[in-house]
Amino acid sequence: MTTPRFIAHDIPDLLNALPTMFGFSPHESIVAIGTSGDRNRLGFSMRLDLPPPALNALVTRTMASHLVRQGAEGAIVLAVSERPEVAGPLVRAVERGLGPVRPLVGAWATRDRYWTTFEDDDPAGHPYELSGHHLAIVKAVAEGQEILPDRAALEERLSSVGGPRRRWLDRAADVVMTQVAAVVARHPDEDLVALAVRDVGDVVDRLLLGHDVTDADVLRVGVWASTTVVRDHWWEQVRRDNAKGQHQLWTHVARHAPASLAPASWCLSAFAAWLAGDGASALIAAERAEAIDPEYSMAGLILEILENGLSPETWSWRSQATARSR
């Protein structure tokens, strides 16, 4: 994920800035932040759950390969955990395994103390304070970023609508599916995009602008998106300059769609999140699609992109066309 603009002066600054890098406060996590240039400009960042010690070597290889692939010149390695005896050895292992990437800062922290990999560091650690009013967070919020308390809150945000409303949505979706299926059955695939745009193009535009639409219209978009050629048409509309809005649009559609139709919308949501630099949301959305349909190829593609640390900056219309053909 790409970090907001912020100058970190010390390790407490970096620890307080972590929520702005991922959209939530990481807990029991190992984080690597790539840097570049003479001023060590912060760039690509990644987070993994703190593993059991037996998996430290795997985590080290994963982080090193992602940083190299992103072109990082240096790296900041941080762990946040209430188990410093587990976090410390992992940070040291990652630093040792960075290969061509230069280690800059290595530290691990509990809620109120941190330690570093410096040889003369105090074994008792250093006190510091996590604050929701830290400059990094204030600047991020002022720029419109929402920061959630933890990853569980993000997963909840990216969950399907439930309860009594879910039952109503599923019944309404049956009606919409019957209506759209009747149209699809009468036309060849090459006509479906034009038909979908005519039917719900204005709804998609209103959703992209953040305007309210009816549940029935949202379901209609979800039904059309489940058709591969229509999904691919809307996939082509996702660009870096509109990716955040596209992520919100397709998350809204996916949350309202019945499970059988949701993989397409979850994948569009995941792709838009990745293109916007929000790897955590992209991973959750892609995993939602795969959980519904393990054979859904677009979910597999996005998960492969995320697992290999492909940078959104490498994506182009030509990449998209190649991916669709796959």
Side-chain angles (χ1 to χ4, degrees), residues 25-115:
S25 298
H27 303 291
E28 299 300 321
S29 300
I30 176 79
V31 170
I33 307 164
T35 68
S36 61
D38 294 338
R39 300 184 64 186
N40 296 319
R41 183 182 179 89
L42 304 184
F44 167 80
S45 58
M46 65 177 295
R47 184 208 69 88
L48 296 173
D49 291 342
L50 202 70
L55 296 181
N56 281 4
L58 175 60
V59 169
T60 295
R61 290 194 299 271
T62 300
M63 289 194 146
S65 65
H66 279 51
L67 288 164
V68 170
R69 191 172 290 111
Q70 294 291 332
E73 298 170 11
I76 296 167
V77 182
L78 304 171
V80 287
S81 172
E82 294 307 302
R83 299 172 294 158
E85 72 282 0
V86 174
L90 176 58
V91 171
R92 293 183 186 278
V94 172
E95 277 201 333
R96 289 194 300 269
L98 287 174
V101 179
R102 179 167 53 95
L104 297 175
V105 175
W108 58 99
T110 62
R111 295 180 186 275
D112 55 8
R113 301 192 76 80
Y114 73 88
W115 294 259

Coordinates of all heavy atoms in Angstrom, one line a residue, residues 25-115:
S25 N -5.4 0.1 12.5 CA -4.2 -0.1 13.4 C -3.8 -1.6 13.4 O -4.6 -2.4 13.9 CB -4.6 0.4 14.8 OG -5.0 1.7 14.8
P26 N -2.6 -1.9 13.0 CA -2.2 -3.3 13.0 C -1.8 -3.8 14.4 O -1.2 -3.0 15.2 CB -0.9 -3.2 12.1 CG -0.4 -1.8 12.2 CD -1.6 -1.0 12.4
H27 N -2.2 -5.0 14.6 CA -1.9 -5.6 15.9 C -1.3 -7.0 15.6 O -1.7 -7.6 14.6 CB -3.1 -5.8 16.8 CG -3.9 -4.5 17.1 ND1 -3.3 -3.6 17.9 CD2 -5.0 -4.0 16.6 CE1 -4.2 -2.5 18.0 NE2 -5.2 -2.8 17.2
E28 N -0.4 -7.4 16.4 CA 0.3 -8.7 16.2 C 0.7 -8.9 14.7 O 0.3 -9.9 14.1 CB -0.7 -9.9 16.7 CG -1.0 -9.8 18.1 CD 0.2 -9.9 19.0 OE1 1.1 -10.7 18.7 OE2 0.3 -9.2 20.1
S29 N 1.5 -7.9 14.3 CA 1.8 -7.8 12.9 C 3.3 -7.6 12.7 O 3.9 -7.0 13.5 CB 1.0 -6.7 12.2 OG -0.4 -6.9 12.3
I30 N 3.8 -8.0 11.5 CA 5.1 -7.6 11.0 C 4.9 -6.7 9.8 O 4.1 -7.1 8.9 CB 6.0 -8.8 10.7 CG1 7.4 -8.4 10.2 CG2 5.3 -9.8 9.8 CD1 8.3 -8.0 11.2
V31 N 5.6 -5.6 9.7 CA 5.4 -4.6 8.7 C 6.8 -4.3 8.0 O 7.8 -4.2 8.7 CB 4.8 -3.3 9.2 CG1 4.9 -2.2 8.2 CG2 3.4 -3.6 9.7
A32 N 6.8 -4.2 6.7 CA 8.0 -3.8 6.0 C 7.6 -2.6 5.1 O 6.5 -2.6 4.4 CB 8.5 -4.9 5.1
I33 N 8.4 -1.6 5.1 CA 8.1 -0.4 4.4 C 9.4 -0.1 3.5 O 10.5 0.0 4.0 CB 7.9 0.9 5.3 CG1 6.8 0.6 6.3 CG2 7.6 2.1 4.5 CD1 6.9 1.5 7.5
G34 N 9.1 -0.1 2.2 CA 10.2 0.2 1.3 C 10.5 1.7 1.2 O 9.7 2.5 1.4
T35 N 11.8 2.0 1.0 CA 12.2 3.4 0.9 C 13.1 3.6 -0.4 O 13.6 2.6 -0.9 CB 13.1 3.9 2.1 OG1 14.3 3.2 2.1 CG2 12.3 3.6 3.4
S36 N 13.2 4.8 -0.8 CA 14.0 5.1 -2.0 C 14.6 6.5 -1.9 O 14.1 7.4 -1.2 CB 13.1 5.0 -3.2 OG 12.1 5.9 -3.2
G37 N 15.7 6.7 -2.6 CA 16.3 8.0 -2.7 C 17.2 8.4 -1.5 O 17.2 7.6 -0.5
D38 N 17.9 9.5 -1.6 CA 18.8 9.9 -0.5 C 18.1 10.3 0.7 O 18.6 10.1 1.8 CB 19.6 11.1 -1.0 CG 20.5 10.8 -2.2 OD1 20.9 9.6 -2.3 OD2 20.9 11.7 -2.9
R39 N 16.8 10.7 0.6 CA 16.0 11.1 1.8 C 15.2 9.9 2.4 O 14.3 10.1 3.2 CB 15.2 12.3 1.5 CG 16.0 13.5 1.1 CD 15.1 14.7 0.9 NE 14.5 15.1 2.1 CZ 13.6 16.1 2.2 NH1 13.2 16.8 1.1 NH2 13.1 16.5 3.3
N40 N 15.4 8.7 1.8 CA 14.6 7.6 2.3 C 13.1 7.8 2.2 O 12.4 7.6 3.2 CB 15.1 7.2 3.7 CG 16.5 6.7 3.8 OD1 17.0 6.0 2.9 ND2 17.2 7.2 4.8
R41 N 12.7 8.2 1.1 CA 11.2 8.4 0.9 C 10.5 7.1 1.1 O 10.8 6.1 0.5 CB 11.0 9.0 -0.5 CG 9.5 9.3 -0.8 CD 9.4 9.8 -2.2 NE 8.0 10.1 -2.5 CZ 7.5 11.3 -2.3 NH1 8.2 12.3 -1.8 NH2 6.2 11.5 -2.6
L42 N 9.4 7.2 1.9 CA 8.6 6.0 2.2 C 7.8 5.6 1.0 O 7.2 6.5 0.3 CB 7.7 6.2 3.4 CG 8.3 6.7 4.7 CD1 7.3 6.8 5.8 CD2 9.4 5.7 5.1
G43 N 7.7 4.3 0.7 CA 6.9 3.9 -0.5 C 6.0 2.7 -0.2 O 5.2 2.7 0.8
F44 N 6.2 1.6 -0.9 CA 5.5 0.4 -0.7 C 5.5 -0.1 0.7 O 6.6 -0.1 1.3 CB 6.0 -0.6 -1.7 CG 5.5 -2.0 -1.4 CD1 4.3 -2.5 -1.9 CD2 6.3 -2.9 -0.7 CE1 3.8 -3.7 -1.6 CE2 5.9 -4.2 -0.5 CZ 4.6 -4.6 -0.9
S45 N 4.4 -0.5 1.2 CA 4.4 -1.1 2.6 C 3.5 -2.4 2.5 O 2.6 -2.5 1.8 CB 3.8 -0.1 3.6 OG 2.5 0.3 3.2
M46 N 3.9 -3.3 3.4 CA 3.2 -4.6 3.5 C 3.1 -5.0 4.9 O 4.0 -4.7 5.7 CB 3.8 -5.7 2.6 CG 5.2 -6.1 3.0 SD 5.8 -7.5 2.0 CE 4.7 -8.8 2.4
R47 N 2.0 -5.8 5.2 CA 1.8 -6.2 6.6 C 1.4 -7.7 6.5 O 0.7 -8.1 5.7 CB 0.6 -5.5 7.2 CG 0.4 -5.8 8.7 CD -1.1 -5.6 9.1 NE -1.9 -6.6 8.4 CZ -2.2 -7.8 8.9 NH1 -1.8 -8.2 10.0 NH2 -3.0 -8.6 8.2
L48 N 2.0 -8.5 7.5 CA 1.6 -9.9 7.6 C 1.3 -10.1 9.1 O 1.9 -9.5 10.0 CB 2.7 -10.8 7.2 CG 3.1 -10.8 5.7 CD1 4.4 -11.6 5.5 CD2 2.0 -11.2 4.8
D49 N 0.4 -11.1 9.3 CA 0.2 -11.5 10.7 C 1.4 -12.0 11.3 O 2.2 -12.7 10.6 CB -0.9 -12.6 10.8 CG -2.3 -12.0 10.4 OD1 -2.5 -10.8 10.5 OD2 -3.2 -12.9 10.1
L50 N 1.7 -11.7 12.6 CA 2.9 -12.3 13.2 C 2.8 -13.8 13.2 O 1.9 -14.4 13.8 CB 3.0 -11.7 14.7 CG 4.4 -11.7 15.3 CD1 5.2 -10.7 14.6 CD2 4.3 -11.4 16.8
P51 N 3.8 -14.5 12.6 CA 3.7 -15.9 12.5 C 4.3 -16.6 13.7 O 5.0 -16.0 14.5 CB 4.5 -16.2 11.3 CG 5.6 -15.2 11.4 CD 5.0 -14.0 12.0
P52 N 4.0 -17.9 13.9 CA 4.8 -18.7 14.9 C 6.3 -18.7 14.4 O 6.6 -18.6 13.2 CB 4.2 -20.1 14.8 CG 3.5 -20.2 13.5 CD 3.1 -18.8 13.2
P53 N 7.2 -18.8 15.4 CA 8.7 -18.7 15.0 C 9.1 -19.7 14.0 O 10.0 -19.4 13.2 CB 9.3 -19.0 16.4 CG 8.4 -18.5 17.4 CD 7.0 -18.8 16.8
A54 N 8.4 -20.8 13.9 CA 8.8 -21.8 12.9 C 8.7 -21.3 11.4 O 9.3 -21.8 10.5 CB 8.0 -23.1 13.0
L55 N 7.9 -20.2 11.3 CA 7.6 -19.7 9.9 C 8.4 -18.4 9.6 O 8.2 -17.8 8.6 CB 6.1 -19.4 9.7 CG 5.2 -20.7 9.8 CD1 3.8 -20.2 9.5 CD2 5.6 -21.7 8.7
N56 N 9.3 -18.1 10.5 CA 10.1 -16.8 10.3 C 10.9 -16.8 9.0 O 10.9 -15.8 8.4 CB 11.1 -16.7 11.5 CG 10.4 -16.1 12.8 OD1 9.2 -16.0 12.8 ND2 11.2 -15.9 13.8
A57 N 11.4 -17.9 8.6 CA 12.2 -18.0 7.4 C 11.3 -17.7 6.2 O 11.7 -17.0 5.2 CB 12.9 -19.3 7.2
L58 N 10.1 -18.3 6.2 CA 9.1 -18.1 5.1 C 8.7 -16.6 5.0 O 8.7 -16.0 3.9 CB 7.9 -18.9 5.3 CG 6.7 -18.7 4.3 CD1 7.2 -19.0 2.9 CD2 5.6 -19.6 4.6
V59 N 8.4 -16.0 6.2 CA 8.1 -14.6 6.2 C 9.2 -13.7 5.7 O 9.0 -12.8 4.9 CB 7.7 -14.1 7.6 CG1 7.5 -12.6 7.7 CG2 6.3 -14.8 8.0
T60 N 10.4 -14.1 6.1 CA 11.6 -13.3 5.6 C 11.7 -13.3 4.1 O 11.9 -12.3 3.5 CB 12.9 -13.9 6.3 OG1 12.8 -13.7 7.7 CG2 14.1 -13.2 5.7
R61 N 11.6 -14.5 3.5 CA 11.7 -14.6 2.1 C 10.6 -13.9 1.4 O 10.8 -13.2 0.4 CB 11.6 -16.1 1.6 CG 12.9 -16.9 2.0 CD 12.9 -18.2 1.3 NE 11.8 -19.1 1.6 CZ 11.7 -19.9 2.6 NH1 12.8 -20.0 3.4 NH2 10.7 -20.7 2.9
T62 N 9.4 -13.9 1.9 CA 8.2 -13.3 1.3 C 8.4 -11.8 1.3 O 8.2 -11.1 0.3 CB 6.9 -13.6 2.1 OG1 6.7 -15.0 2.0 CG2 5.7 -12.9 1.5
M63 N 8.8 -11.2 2.5 CA 9.0 -9.8 2.5 C 10.2 -9.3 1.7 O 10.0 -8.3 1.0 CB 9.2 -9.3 4.0 CG 8.0 -9.5 4.8 SD 8.1 -8.6 6.4 CE 6.4 -8.1 6.6
A64 N 11.2 -10.0 1.7 CA 12.4 -9.6 0.8 C 12.0 -9.6 -0.6 O 12.4 -8.7 -1.4 CB 13.6 -10.6 1.1
S65 N 11.3 -10.7 -1.1 CA 11.0 -10.8 -2.5 C 10.0 -9.6 -2.9 O 10.2 -9.1 -4.0 CB 10.4 -12.1 -2.8 OG 9.2 -12.3 -2.2
H66 N 9.1 -9.3 -2.1 CA 8.2 -8.2 -2.4 C 8.9 -6.9 -2.5 O 8.6 -6.1 -3.4 CB 7.0 -8.1 -1.3 CG 5.9 -9.1 -1.6 ND1 6.2 -10.5 -1.8 CD2 4.6 -9.0 -1.6 CE1 5.1 -11.1 -1.9 NE2 4.1 -10.3 -1.8
L67 N 9.8 -6.6 -1.5 CA 10.5 -5.4 -1.5 C 11.4 -5.2 -2.8 O 11.5 -4.2 -3.4 CB 11.3 -5.2 -0.3 CG 10.6 -5.0 1.0 CD1 11.4 -5.3 2.3 CD2 10.0 -3.6 1.1
V68 N 12.1 -6.3 -3.1 CA 12.9 -6.3 -4.3 C 12.0 -6.0 -5.6 O 12.4 -5.2 -6.4 CB 13.7 -7.6 -4.5 CG1 14.3 -7.7 -5.8 CG2 14.7 -7.7 -3.4
R69 N 10.9 -6.7 -5.6 CA 10.0 -6.6 -6.8 C 9.5 -5.2 -6.9 O 9.2 -4.7 -8.0 CB 8.9 -7.6 -6.7 CG 8.1 -7.7 -8.0 CD 7.1 -8.8 -7.9 NE 7.7 -10.1 -8.0 CZ 7.8 -11.0 -6.9 NH1 7.2 -10.7 -5.8 NH2 8.4 -12.1 -7.0
Q70 N 9.3 -4.5 -5.8 CA 8.8 -3.1 -5.8 C 9.9 -2.1 -6.0 O 9.7 -0.9 -6.1 CB 8.2 -2.8 -4.4 CG 6.9 -3.6 -4.2 CD 5.7 -3.2 -5.1 OE1 5.7 -2.1 -5.5 NE2 4.8 -4.2 -5.3
G71 N 11.2 -2.6 -6.2 CA 12.3 -1.7 -6.4 C 12.7 -0.9 -5.2 O 13.3 0.2 -5.4
A72 N 12.5 -1.4 -4.0 CA 12.9 -0.7 -2.8 C 14.4 -0.7 -2.7 O 15.0 -1.7 -2.9 CB 12.3 -1.4 -1.6
E73 N 14.9 0.4 -2.3 CA 16.4 0.5 -2.1 C 16.7 0.3 -0.6 O 17.8 -0.3 -0.3 CB 16.9 1.9 -2.5 CG 16.7 2.3 -4.0 CD 16.9 3.7 -4.3 OE1 17.5 4.4 -3.4 OE2 16.6 4.2 -5.4
G74 N 15.8 0.7 0.3 CA 16.0 0.4 1.7 C 14.7 -0.1 2.3 O 13.7 -0.1 1.6
A75 N 14.8 -0.5 3.5 CA 13.6 -1.0 4.2 C 13.6 -0.7 5.7 O 14.6 -0.8 6.3 CB 13.5 -2.6 4.0
I76 N 12.4 -0.4 6.1 CA 12.1 -0.2 7.5 C 11.2 -1.4 8.0 O 10.2 -1.7 7.3 CB 11.3 1.1 7.8 CG1 12.2 2.3 7.4 CG2 10.9 1.1 9.3 CD1 11.4 3.6 7.3
V77 N 11.7 -2.2 9.0 CA 11.0 -3.4 9.4 C 10.5 -3.1 10.8 O 11.3 -2.8 11.7 CB 11.9 -4.6 9.4 CG1 11.1 -5.9 9.8 CG2 12.5 -4.8 8.0
L78 N 9.2 -3.2 11.0 CA 8.6 -3.0 12.3 C 7.7 -4.1 12.7 O 7.0 -4.7 11.8 CB 7.8 -1.7 12.3 CG 8.5 -0.4 11.9 CD1 7.5 0.7 11.8 CD2 9.6 0.0 12.9
A79 N 7.6 -4.5 14.0 CA 6.6 -5.5 14.4 C 5.9 -4.9 15.6 O 6.5 -4.2 16.4 CB 7.3 -6.8 14.8
V80 N 4.6 -5.1 15.7 CA 3.8 -4.6 16.8 C 3.2 -5.9 17.4 O 2.4 -6.6 16.8 CB 2.7 -3.6 16.4 CG1 3.4 -2.3 16.1 CG2 1.9 -4.1 15.1
S81 N 3.5 -6.1 18.7 CA 3.0 -7.3 19.4 C 3.2 -7.1 20.9 O 4.1 -6.5 21.3 CB 3.8 -8.5 18.9 OG 3.5 -9.7 19.6
E82 N 2.3 -7.8 21.6 CA 2.5 -7.9 23.0 C 3.4 -9.0 23.4 O 3.5 -9.4 24.6 CB 1.1 -8.0 23.7 CG 0.2 -6.8 23.5 CD 0.8 -5.5 24.0 OE1 1.2 -5.5 25.2 OE2 1.0 -4.6 23.2
R83 N 4.0 -9.6 22.4 CA 5.0 -10.7 22.7 C 6.3 -10.3 22.1 O 6.7 -10.8 21.0 CB 4.5 -12.0 22.0 CG 3.1 -12.5 22.6 CD 2.6 -13.7 21.7 NE 2.3 -13.3 20.4 CZ 2.3 -14.1 19.3 NH1 2.5 -15.4 19.5 NH2 2.0 -13.6 18.1
P84 N 7.0 -9.4 22.8 CA 8.3 -9.0 22.2 C 9.3 -10.1 22.0 O 10.2 -10.0 21.2 CB 8.8 -8.0 23.3 CG 8.0 -8.3 24.5 CD 6.7 -8.8 24.0
E85 N 9.2 -11.2 22.8 CA 10.1 -12.3 22.7 C 9.9 -13.0 21.3 O 10.8 -13.7 20.9 CB 10.0 -13.3 23.9 CG 8.7 -14.1 23.9 CD 7.4 -13.3 24.3 OE1 7.6 -12.1 24.7 OE2 6.4 -13.9 24.4
V86 N 8.8 -12.9 20.7 CA 8.5 -13.4 19.4 C 8.8 -12.4 18.3 O 9.4 -12.7 17.3 CB 7.0 -13.9 19.3 CG1 6.7 -14.4 17.9 CG2 6.7 -15.0 20.3
A87 N 8.4 -11.2 18.5 CA 8.6 -10.1 17.5 C 10.0 -9.8 17.3 O 10.4 -9.6 16.1 CB 7.8 -8.9 18.0
G88 N 10.8 -9.7 18.3 CA 12.2 -9.3 18.2 C 13.0 -10.2 17.2 O 13.6 -9.8 16.3
P89 N 13.0 -11.5 17.5 CA 13.7 -12.4 16.6 C 13.3 -12.4 15.1 O 14.1 -12.5 14.2 CB 13.5 -13.8 17.2 CG 13.3 -13.6 18.6 CD 12.5 -12.3 18.7
L90 N 12.0 -12.1 14.9 CA 11.5 -12.1 13.6 C 12.0 -10.8 12.9 O 12.4 -10.9 11.7 CB 9.9 -12.1 13.6 CG 9.3 -11.9 12.2 CD1 9.7 -13.0 11.2 CD2 7.7 -11.9 12.3
V91 N 12.0 -9.7 13.5 CA 12.5 -8.5 12.9 C 14.0 -8.6 12.6 O 14.4 -8.3 11.5 CB 12.3 -7.3 13.9 CG1 13.0 -6.0 13.3 CG2 10.8 -6.9 14.1
R92 N 14.7 -9.2 13.4 CA 16.1 -9.5 13.2 C 16.3 -10.4 12.0 O 17.2 -10.2 11.1 CB 16.8 -10.0 14.4 CG 16.9 -9.1 15.6 CD 17.7 -9.7 16.7 NE 17.7 -8.9 17.9 CZ 18.4 -7.8 18.1 NH1 19.4 -7.5 17.2 NH2 18.4 -7.1 19.2
A93 N 15.5 -11.4 11.9 CA 15.6 -12.4 10.8 C 15.3 -11.7 9.4 O 15.9 -11.9 8.4 CB 14.6 -13.6 11.0
V94 N 14.2 -10.9 9.4 CA 13.9 -10.2 8.2 C 15.0 -9.2 7.8 O 15.3 -9.2 6.6 CB 12.5 -9.4 8.4 CG1 12.2 -8.5 7.2 CG2 11.4 -10.4 8.6
E95 N 15.5 -8.5 8.7 CA 16.6 -7.6 8.4 C 17.8 -8.3 7.8 O 18.4 -7.9 6.8 CB 17.1 -6.8 9.6 CG 16.3 -5.6 10.0 CD 17.1 -4.6 10.8 OE1 18.0 -5.1 11.6 OE2 16.8 -3.4 10.8
R96 N 18.1 -9.5 8.3 CA 19.3 -10.3 7.8 C 19.0 -10.8 6.4 O 19.9 -11.1 5.7 CB 19.6 -11.4 8.8 CG 20.2 -11.0 10.1 CD 20.8 -12.2 10.8 NE 19.8 -13.2 11.1 CZ 19.1 -13.3 12.2 NH1 19.3 -12.4 13.2 NH2 18.2 -14.3 12.4
G97 N 17.7 -11.0 6.1 CA 17.4 -11.7 4.8 C 17.0 -10.7 3.7 O 16.4 -11.2 2.7
L98 N 17.2 -9.4 3.9 CA 16.8 -8.5 2.9 C 17.5 -8.5 1.6 O 17.1 -7.9 0.6 CB 16.8 -7.1 3.5 CG 15.7 -6.7 4.5 CD1 16.0 -5.4 5.1 CD2 14.3 -6.8 3.9
G99 N 18.7 -9.2 1.5 CA 19.4 -9.3 0.3 C 19.9 -7.9 -0.2 O 20.6 -7.2 0.6
P100 N 19.6 -7.5 -1.4 CA 20.1 -6.3 -2.0 C 19.4 -5.0 -1.4 O 19.9 -3.9 -1.6 CB 19.7 -6.4 -3.5 CG 18.5 -7.3 -3.5 CD 18.8 -8.3 -2.4
V101 N 18.3 -5.2 -0.6 CA 17.7 -4.1 0.0 C 18.4 -3.7 1.3 O 18.6 -4.6 2.2 CB 16.2 -4.4 0.3 CG1 15.5 -3.2 0.9 CG2 15.5 -4.8 -1.0
R102 N 18.7 -2.5 1.5 CA 19.5 -2.0 2.6 C 18.6 -1.8 3.9 O 17.6 -1.1 3.8 CB 20.1 -0.7 2.3 CG 21.0 -0.1 3.4 CD 21.8 1.0 2.8 NE 21.0 2.0 2.1 CZ 20.6 3.1 2.6 NH1 20.8 3.4 3.9 NH2 19.9 4.0 1.9
P103 N 18.8 -2.5 5.0 CA 18.0 -2.3 6.2 C 18.3 -0.9 6.8 O 19.5 -0.6 6.9 CB 18.5 -3.4 7.1 CG 19.8 -3.8 6.6 CD 19.9 -3.5 5.2
L104 N 17.3 -0.2 7.1 CA 17.4 1.1 7.6 C 17.1 1.2 9.1 O 17.8 1.7 9.9 CB 16.6 2.2 6.9 CG 16.9 2.4 5.4 CD1 15.9 3.3 4.8 CD2 18.3 2.9 5.3
V105 N 15.9 0.7 9.4 CA 15.4 0.7 10.8 C 14.7 -0.6 11.1 O 13.9 -1.1 10.3 CB 14.4 1.8 11.1 CG1 13.8 1.7 12.5 CG2 15.0 3.2 10.8
G106 N 15.1 -1.2 12.2 CA 14.4 -2.4 12.7 C 13.9 -2.2 14.1 O 14.7 -1.9 14.9
A107 N 12.7 -2.5 14.4 CA 12.2 -2.2 15.7 C 10.9 -3.1 15.9 O 10.2 -3.4 15.0 CB 11.8 -0.8 15.9
W108 N 10.6 -3.4 17.2 CA 9.4 -4.0 17.6 C 8.8 -3.3 18.8 O 9.6 -2.7 19.6 CB 9.6 -5.5 17.8 CG 10.6 -5.9 18.8 CD1 10.4 -6.3 20.1 CD2 12.0 -6.0 18.6 NE1 11.6 -6.6 20.8 CE2 12.6 -6.4 19.9 CE3 12.9 -5.7 17.6 CZ2 14.0 -6.5 20.1 CZ3 14.3 -5.9 17.8 CH2 14.8 -6.3 19.0
A109 N 7.5 -3.4 18.9 CA 6.9 -2.6 20.0 C 5.7 -3.2 20.6 O 4.9 -3.9 19.9 CB 6.5 -1.2 19.4
T110 N 5.5 -3.0 21.9 CA 4.2 -3.3 22.5 C 3.4 -2.0 22.5 O 3.7 -1.1 21.7 CB 4.4 -3.7 24.0 OG1 5.0 -2.6 24.7 CG2 5.3 -4.9 24.0
R111 N 2.3 -1.9 23.3 CA 1.5 -0.7 23.2 C 2.3 0.5 23.8 O 1.9 1.7 23.5 CB 0.2 -0.9 24.0 CG -0.7 -1.9 23.4 CD -2.0 -2.1 24.2 NE -2.8 -3.2 23.7 CZ -3.6 -3.1 22.7 NH1 -3.8 -1.9 22.1 NH2 -4.3 -4.1 22.3
D112 N 3.3 0.3 24.7 CA 3.9 1.4 25.3 C 5.4 1.4 25.4 O 6.1 2.3 25.9 CB 3.4 1.6 26.7 CG 3.5 0.3 27.6 OD1 4.2 -0.6 27.1 OD2 3.0 0.3 28.7
R113 N 6.1 0.4 24.8 CA 7.5 0.3 24.8 C 8.0 -0.3 23.4 O 7.3 -1.1 22.8 CB 8.1 -0.6 25.9 CG 7.7 -0.1 27.3 CD 8.5 -0.8 28.4 NE 9.9 -0.3 28.5 CZ 10.2 0.8 29.1 NH1 9.3 1.6 29.7 NH2 11.5 1.2 29.1
Y114 N 9.2 0.2 23.0 CA 9.7 -0.4 21.8 C 11.2 -0.7 22.0 O 11.9 -0.2 22.8 CB 9.5 0.6 20.6 CG 10.4 1.8 20.6 CD1 11.7 1.8 20.0 CD2 10.0 3.0 21.2 CE1 12.5 2.9 20.0 CE2 10.8 4.1 21.2 CZ 12.0 4.1 20.6 OH 12.8 5.2 20.6
W115 N 11.7 -1.6 21.1 CA 13.1 -2.0 21.1 C 13.6 -1.9 19.7 O 12.8 -1.9 18.7 CB 13.2 -3.5 21.6 CG 12.8 -3.7 23.0 CD1 13.7 -3.9 24.0 CD2 11.5 -3.9 23.5 NE1 13.0 -4.1 25.2 CE2 11.7 -4.1 24.9 CE3 10.2 -3.8 23.0 CZ2 10.6 -4.3 25.7 CZ3 9.1 -4.0 23.8 CH2 9.3 -4.2 25.2

